[in-house]
Amino acid sequence: MAVNENGGLRERKKVATRKALREAALRLALEHGPDNVRVDDIAEAAGVSPRTYNNYFSSREQAIVAAINAERALRIAAALRARPEDEPLARAVVEAVVEQYTSEPAGDALTLITSTPRLCAEFIEAVSAIRQPLASAIADRIGGDDVLAPAVLAAAISAAVRVAIEHWIRPAGDAPKGLLVVVGERPLAGLLREALAHVEPALQAADPRDP
């Protein structure tokens, strides 16, 4: 077997192991509640050792959220690349982000996040993962040699998304301490569009298609 084939096999095994761990984490959290799930339980359900688990995730919350996010960062970048080439950058970014963030979580997974402060915090923190893939996709769209502009734009988009999500899921004023709720009167899609509107001038300025 060639060296590159060995490398490809190892990478596929890593991807499969990560997927098995995050799916086991979410399944056990839904069945028993996140506070009743140990790292050892997740590792056993995925057929690996706790040491192997720690090579992929630093906490049970991180694994559970990884299952809910389901590689969202890569999907946002792919969605941006799939937008029409002649579409303005600002519109392409907004539509790609809104599409991927409003398709999930839902149902039991959403309830799990909104009822568990540590999961909510991890869910919000996971927004930062969109920066690098998004910067790459933006660089592909705008071209040129400026390596800072795509990175700065992606960081601004990530910050706007994080603010929108923080306003979407927040502590309930009249709920027991620590309980989190979805702000139903402010749909996530609307909050995302409102937050990203503040980034649109910078996206327009960087867009070679914008006159």
Side-chain angles (χ1 to χ4, degrees):
M1 183 180 291
V3 174
N4 64 335
E5 290 177 340
N6 276 323
L9 177 60
R10 284 195 296 270
E11 188 58 32
R12 288 195 296 273
K13 288 180 68 175
K14 288 180 180 180
V15 170
T17 299
R18 183 178 180 86
K19 183 173 185 289
L21 285 167
R22 72 189 187 214
E23 289 181 350
L26 179 58
R27 182 177 70 254
L28 291 173
L30 289 171
E31 290 175 356
H32 306 293
D35 290 338
N36 298 317
V37 177
R38 303 176 304 160
V39 166
D40 287 4
D41 299 327
I42 299 171
E44 182 179 358
V48 301
S49 69
R51 182 176 180 180
T52 296
Y53 177 96
N54 291 329
N55 290 333
Y56 290 86
F57 300 107
S58 61
S59 68
R60 64 187 176 190
E61 288 80 15
Q62 190 179 71
I64 294 167
V65 168
I68 294 170
N69 279 332
E71 308 300 338
R72 192 195 310 274
L74 295 178
R75 290 188 287 112
I76 289 175
L80 178 55
R81 288 189 171 95
R83 301 295 301 181
E85 290 186 6
D86 60 348
E87 184 175 50
L89 177 62
R91 180 176 179 183
V93 166
V94 171
E95 295 306 321
V97 170
V98 171
E99 174 190 345
Q100 295 303 320
Y101 264 100
T102 55
S103 60
E104 57 185 331
D108 292 341
L110 179 59
T111 300
L112 190 68
I113 289 175
T114 58
S115 62
T116 312
R118 282 178 294 183
L119 282 178
C120 181
E122 184 63 43
F123 183 73
I124 293 170
E125 188 63 30
V127 172
S128 63
I130 74 174
R131 288 177 55 179
Q132 185 173 347
L134 191 54
S136 177
I138 290 172
D140 289 345
R141 287 188 73 95
I142 67 177
D145 299 325
D146 190 345
V147 297
L148 289 180
V152 171
L153 291 170
I157 294 162
S158 172
V161 171
R162 179 171 182 143
V163 169
I165 291 177
E166 286 174 340
H167 280 75
W168 181 58
I169 302 177
R170 66 186 184 192
D174 57 352
K177 184 177 181 181
L179 182 64
L180 298 153
V181 296
V182 174
V183 185
E185 69 273 14
R186 300 292 306 278
L188 180 56
L191 283 166
L192 285 168
R193 292 183 187 280
E194 184 178 340
L196 289 168
H198 296 285
V199 185
E200 287 186 15
L203 290 167
Q204 290 166 358
D207 189 358
R209 301 167 184 79
D210 201 298

